[in-house]
Amino acid sequence: MPVQKQTTAGQRTRFKAFVVIGDSNGHIGLGIKTSKEIAAAIRGALVASKLSIIPARKGFWGGKIGASHTVPMKVTGKCGSVRLRCIPAPKGTGIVAARIPKKLLVLAGYEDVFTSSKGYTRTFGNFAKATFQAIYSTYGFITPDLWLSQKLIENPLSY
């Protein structure tokens, strides 16, 4: 995407590249790079996306039947004025989202997600970053299935 800056000699054009990588199995990376040449911007964004790979936790909607398919809880991501909320969905719903978050959610490995967005979502970069932050925040909570089992001990004062 071309980005222009007005200078005294005219306009200076630079190119901004957004690269998203994912294995559709719980990992996703987002890279952003700006450069004078398109090829250099894409190469830099690819390196940045490989360095920013994060895990995407998946969960269930309703009962734990089959493989995990949706976000484990309601999560929100924010960048600029854009706020994106991902909501767990029943199996078979698909990804109900705009074009940009849908691509990121598919690459992260989600099959069923409802989304709700607010703000100026035409800003490509902010919309992608808000989605990436929402996916990142799925590991910000410890769900009951990850709780360590505590061994109860005798009260030493009960003797």
Side-chain angles (χ1 to χ4, degrees):
M1 142 171 133
V3 180
Q4 290 186 335
K5 177 183 177 182
Q6 189 69 38
T7 61
T8 54
Q11 296 172 338
R12 185 185 71 182
T13 304
R14 296 173 77 201
F15 297 96
K16 195 168 193 176
F18 296 90
V19 175
V20 180
I21 58 172
D23 61 356
S24 298
N25 195 21
H27 299 92
I28 188 165
L30 174 67
I32 302 163
K33 179 69 176 165
T34 306
S35 180
K36 291 180 181 178
E37 297 176 7
I38 296 173
I42 293 171
R43 272 195 309 273
L46 184 62
V47 169
S49 66
K50 288 178 181 178
L51 290 173
S52 70
I53 290 178
I54 58 165
R57 181 187 290 171
K58 295 197 284 186
F60 298 93
W61 184 90
K64 294 182 179 179
I65 301 171
S68 54
H69 59 95
T70 186
V71 288
M73 74 283 295
K74 293 178 184 175
V75 290
T76 304
K78 181 183 183 302
C79 183
S81 70
V82 179
R83 284 179 178 77
L84 181 96
R85 187 174 193 207
C86 295
I87 304 161
K91 205 170 198 60
T93 304
I95 297 177
V96 182
R99 196 180 88 235
I100 297 166
K102 188 170 194 168
K103 288 180 182 177
L104 270 79
L105 291 168
V106 166
L107 283 172
Y110 294 110
E111 298 167 17
D112 309 297
V113 179
F114 292 129
T115 61
S116 169
S117 58
K118 294 179 182 178
Y120 194 71
T121 56
R122 284 179 58 188
T123 310
F124 182 90
N126 288 352
F127 208 11
K129 286 183 198 174
T131 307
F132 188 74
Q133 187 181 14
I135 294 169
Y136 179 74
S137 66
T138 58
Y139 266 94
F141 301 96
I142 298 179
T143 53
D145 59 323
L146 297 174
W147 292 351
L148 296 174
S149 59
Q150 298 291 328
K151 190 174 182 182
L152 296 176
I153 59 170
E154 270 305 307
N155 187 352
L157 302 176
S158 65
Y159 293 112

